[in-house]
CSV table of all heavy atoms in Angstrom, one decimal:
chain,number,residue,atom,x,y,z
A,116,THR,N,104.6,-88.9,-18.0
A,116,THR,CA,104.3,-87.6,-18.7
A,116,THR,C,105.5,-86.7,-18.4
A,116,THR,O,105.8,-86.5,-17.2
A,116,THR,CB,103.0,-87.0,-18.4
A,116,THR,OG1,101.9,-87.9,-18.7
A,116,THR,CG2,102.7,-85.7,-19.1
A,117,ALA,N,106.0,-86.0,-19.4
A,117,ALA,CA,107.0,-85.0,-19.2
A,117,ALA,C,106.6,-83.7,-19.8
A,117,ALA,O,106.1,-83.8,-21.0
A,117,ALA,CB,108.4,-85.5,-19.8
A,118,VAL,N,106.7,-82.6,-19.1
A,118,VAL,CA,106.3,-81.3,-19.6
A,118,VAL,C,107.6,-80.5,-19.7
A,118,VAL,O,108.4,-80.3,-18.8
A,118,VAL,CB,105.4,-80.6,-18.6
A,118,VAL,CG1,105.0,-79.2,-19.2
A,118,VAL,CG2,104.1,-81.5,-18.4
A,119,VAL,N,107.8,-80.0,-21.0
A,119,VAL,CA,109.0,-79.2,-21.2
A,119,VAL,C,108.6,-77.8,-21.5
A,119,VAL,O,107.7,-77.5,-22.4
A,119,VAL,CB,109.8,-79.7,-22.5
A,119,VAL,CG1,111.0,-78.9,-22.8
A,119,VAL,CG2,110.2,-81.2,-22.3
A,120,THR,N,109.2,-76.8,-20.9
A,120,THR,CA,109.0,-75.4,-21.2
A,120,THR,C,110.3,-74.8,-21.6
A,120,THR,O,111.4,-75.3,-21.1
A,120,THR,CB,108.5,-74.6,-20.0
A,120,THR,OG1,109.3,-74.8,-18.8
A,120,THR,CG2,106.9,-75.1,-19.6
A,121,SER,N,110.3,-73.9,-22.4
A,121,SER,CA,111.5,-73.3,-23.0
A,121,SER,C,111.3,-72.0,-23.7
A,121,SER,O,110.1,-71.5,-23.9
A,121,SER,CB,112.1,-74.3,-23.9
A,121,SER,OG,113.4,-73.8,-24.4
A,122,GLN,N,112.5,-71.4,-24.0
A,122,GLN,CA,112.3,-70.2,-24.9
A,122,GLN,C,113.0,-70.6,-26.2
A,122,GLN,O,114.0,-71.3,-26.3
A,122,GLN,CB,113.1,-69.0,-24.3
A,122,GLN,CG,112.4,-68.4,-23.1
A,122,GLN,CD,113.2,-67.2,-22.7
A,122,GLN,OE1,113.5,-66.3,-23.4
A,122,GLN,NE2,113.4,-67.1,-21.4
A,123,ALA,N,112.6,-70.0,-27.3
A,123,ALA,CA,113.2,-70.3,-28.6
A,123,ALA,C,113.4,-69.0,-29.5
A,123,ALA,O,112.4,-68.2,-29.5
A,123,ALA,CB,112.3,-71.3,-29.4
A,124,GLU,N,114.5,-68.9,-30.1
A,124,GLU,CA,114.7,-67.8,-31.0
A,124,GLU,C,114.6,-68.5,-32.4
A,124,GLU,O,115.4,-69.4,-32.7
A,124,GLU,CB,116.1,-67.2,-30.8
A,124,GLU,CG,116.5,-66.1,-31.8
A,124,GLU,CD,115.7,-64.8,-31.4
A,124,GLU,OE1,115.4,-64.5,-30.3
A,124,GLU,OE2,115.3,-64.1,-32.4
A,125,LEU,N,113.7,-68.0,-33.2
A,125,LEU,CA,113.3,-68.6,-34.5
A,125,LEU,C,113.4,-67.8,-35.7
A,125,LEU,O,113.2,-66.6,-35.5
A,125,LEU,CB,111.8,-69.1,-34.3
A,125,LEU,CG,111.2,-69.7,-35.6
A,125,LEU,CD1,111.4,-71.2,-35.6
A,125,LEU,CD2,109.7,-69.6,-35.4
A,126,GLN,N,114.0,-68.3,-36.8
A,126,GLN,CA,113.9,-67.6,-38.1
A,126,GLN,C,113.2,-68.6,-39.0
A,126,GLN,O,113.6,-69.7,-39.1
A,126,GLN,CB,115.3,-67.3,-38.5
A,126,GLN,CG,116.0,-66.2,-37.8
A,126,GLN,CD,117.5,-65.9,-38.2
A,126,GLN,OE1,117.9,-66.5,-39.1
A,126,GLN,NE2,118.1,-64.9,-37.6
A,127,GLY,N,112.3,-68.0,-39.7
A,127,GLY,CA,111.6,-68.9,-40.7
A,127,GLY,C,110.4,-68.2,-41.2
A,127,GLY,O,110.1,-67.1,-41.0
A,128,SER,N,109.6,-69.0,-42.1
A,128,SER,CA,108.4,-68.5,-42.6
A,128,SER,C,107.4,-69.5,-42.7
A,128,SER,O,107.6,-70.7,-42.7
A,128,SER,CB,108.7,-68.0,-44.1
A,128,SER,OG,109.2,-69.1,-44.9
A,129,ASN,N,106.1,-69.0,-42.8
A,129,ASN,CA,104.9,-69.9,-42.9
A,129,ASN,C,104.2,-69.3,-44.2
A,129,ASN,O,103.5,-68.3,-44.1
A,129,ASN,CB,104.0,-69.9,-41.7
A,129,ASN,CG,102.9,-70.8,-41.9
A,129,ASN,OD1,102.6,-71.4,-42.9
A,129,ASN,ND2,102.2,-71.0,-40.7
A,130,GLY,N,104.5,-70.0,-45.3
A,130,GLY,CA,104.0,-69.4,-46.6
A,130,GLY,C,104.8,-68.2,-46.9
A,130,GLY,O,106.1,-68.4,-46.9
A,131,HIS,N,104.2,-67.0,-47.1
A,131,HIS,CA,105.0,-65.8,-47.3
A,131,HIS,C,105.2,-65.0,-46.1
A,131,HIS,O,105.8,-63.9,-46.1
A,131,HIS,CB,104.2,-65.0,-48.4
A,131,HIS,CG,104.2,-65.7,-49.8
A,131,HIS,ND1,105.3,-65.9,-50.4
A,131,HIS,CD2,103.2,-66.2,-50.4
A,131,HIS,CE1,105.0,-66.5,-51.6
A,131,HIS,NE2,103.7,-66.7,-51.6
A,132,ALA,N,104.6,-65.5,-45.0
A,132,ALA,CA,104.6,-64.7,-43.7
A,132,ALA,C,106.0,-65.0,-42.9
A,132,ALA,O,106.3,-66.2,-42.7
A,132,ALA,CB,103.4,-65.0,-42.8
A,133,ASP,N,106.6,-64.0,-42.5
A,133,ASP,CA,107.8,-64.1,-41.6
A,133,ASP,C,107.3,-64.6,-40.2
A,133,ASP,O,106.5,-63.9,-39.6
A,133,ASP,CB,108.6,-62.8,-41.6
A,133,ASP,CG,109.8,-62.9,-40.6
A,133,ASP,OD1,110.2,-64.1,-40.3
A,133,ASP,OD2,110.2,-61.8,-40.3
A,134,ILE,N,107.8,-65.7,-39.7
A,134,ILE,CA,107.4,-66.1,-38.4
A,134,ILE,C,108.6,-66.0,-37.3
A,134,ILE,O,108.5,-66.5,-36.3
A,134,ILE,CB,106.8,-67.5,-38.3
A,134,ILE,CG1,107.8,-68.5,-38.9
A,134,ILE,CG2,105.5,-67.6,-39.1
A,134,ILE,CD1,107.3,-70.0,-38.7
A,135,GLY,N,109.6,-65.4,-37.8
A,135,GLY,CA,110.9,-65.2,-37.0
A,135,GLY,C,110.5,-64.4,-35.7
A,135,GLY,O,109.6,-63.5,-35.7
A,136,GLY,N,111.2,-64.8,-34.6
A,136,GLY,CA,111.0,-63.9,-33.3
A,136,GLY,C,111.3,-64.9,-32.2
A,136,GLY,O,111.9,-66.0,-32.3
A,137,ARG,N,111.0,-64.3,-31.1
A,137,ARG,CA,111.3,-65.0,-29.7
A,137,ARG,C,110.0,-65.7,-29.3
A,137,ARG,O,108.9,-64.9,-29.3
A,137,ARG,CB,111.8,-64.0,-28.7
A,137,ARG,CG,112.4,-64.6,-27.5
A,137,ARG,CD,113.9,-64.3,-27.5
A,137,ARG,NE,114.5,-64.9,-26.3
A,137,ARG,CZ,115.2,-66.0,-26.3
A,137,ARG,NH1,115.5,-66.7,-27.4
A,137,ARG,NH2,115.6,-66.5,-25.1
A,138,TYR,N,110.0,-66.9,-28.8
A,138,TYR,CA,108.8,-67.6,-28.4
A,138,TYR,C,109.0,-68.3,-27.1
A,138,TYR,O,110.2,-68.6,-26.8
A,138,TYR,CB,108.5,-68.7,-29.4
A,138,TYR,CG,108.0,-68.1,-30.7
A,138,TYR,CD1,108.9,-67.8,-31.7
A,138,TYR,CD2,106.6,-68.0,-31.1
A,138,TYR,CE1,108.5,-67.4,-32.9
A,138,TYR,CE2,106.2,-67.6,-32.3
A,138,TYR,CZ,107.1,-67.2,-33.2
A,138,TYR,OH,106.7,-66.8,-34.4
A,139,ARG,N,108.0,-68.5,-26.3
A,139,ARG,CA,108.0,-69.5,-25.2
A,139,ARG,C,107.1,-70.6,-25.7
A,139,ARG,O,106.2,-70.4,-26.4
A,139,ARG,CB,107.4,-68.8,-24.0
A,139,ARG,CG,108.3,-67.9,-23.2
A,139,ARG,CD,108.1,-68.0,-21.8
A,139,ARG,NE,109.0,-67.1,-21.1
A,139,ARG,CZ,110.1,-67.6,-20.5
A,139,ARG,NH1,110.5,-68.8,-20.6
A,139,ARG,NH2,110.8,-66.7,-19.8
A,140,TYR,N,107.5,-71.8,-25.3
A,140,TYR,CA,106.6,-72.9,-25.7
A,140,TYR,C,106.6,-74.0,-24.6
A,140,TYR,O,107.4,-74.1,-23.7
A,140,TYR,CB,107.1,-73.6,-27.0
A,140,TYR,CG,108.4,-74.3,-26.9
A,140,TYR,CD1,108.4,-75.7,-26.4
A,140,TYR,CD2,109.6,-73.8,-27.3
A,140,TYR,CE1,109.6,-76.4,-26.4
A,140,TYR,CE2,110.8,-74.5,-27.3
A,140,TYR,CZ,110.7,-75.8,-26.7
A,140,TYR,OH,111.9,-76.5,-26.7
A,141,THR,N,105.5,-74.8,-24.7
A,141,THR,CA,105.3,-76.0,-23.9
A,141,THR,C,105.2,-77.1,-24.8
A,141,THR,O,104.4,-77.1,-25.7
A,141,THR,CB,104.0,-75.8,-23.0
A,141,THR,OG1,104.2,-74.7,-22.1
A,141,THR,CG2,103.9,-77.0,-22.1
A,142,ARG,N,106.0,-78.2,-24.6
A,142,ARG,CA,105.8,-79.4,-25.3
A,142,ARG,C,105.6,-80.5,-24.2
A,142,ARG,O,106.3,-80.6,-23.2
A,142,ARG,CB,107.1,-79.7,-26.1
A,142,ARG,CG,106.8,-80.8,-27.1
A,142,ARG,CD,108.1,-81.1,-28.1
A,142,ARG,NE,109.0,-80.1,-28.3
A,142,ARG,CZ,108.9,-79.1,-29.1
A,142,ARG,NH1,108.0,-79.0,-30.0
A,142,ARG,NH2,110.0,-78.2,-29.2
A,143,VAL,N,104.6,-81.4,-24.5
A,143,VAL,CA,104.3,-82.5,-23.6
A,143,VAL,C,104.6,-83.8,-24.3
A,143,VAL,O,104.2,-84.1,-25.4
A,143,VAL,CB,102.9,-82.4,-23.2
A,143,VAL,CG1,102.5,-83.5,-22.2
A,143,VAL,CG2,102.5,-81.1,-22.6
Side-chain angles (χ1 to χ4, degrees):
T116 301
V118 178
V119 179
T120 56
S121 184
Q122 290 186 49
E124 180 72 34
L125 176 85
Q126 290 178 0
S128 61
N129 186 350
H131 296 293
D133 178 18
I134 58 172
R137 193 117 178 100
Y138 294 84
R139 283 216 179 261
Y140 72 81
T141 302
R142 192 175 342 270
V143 180

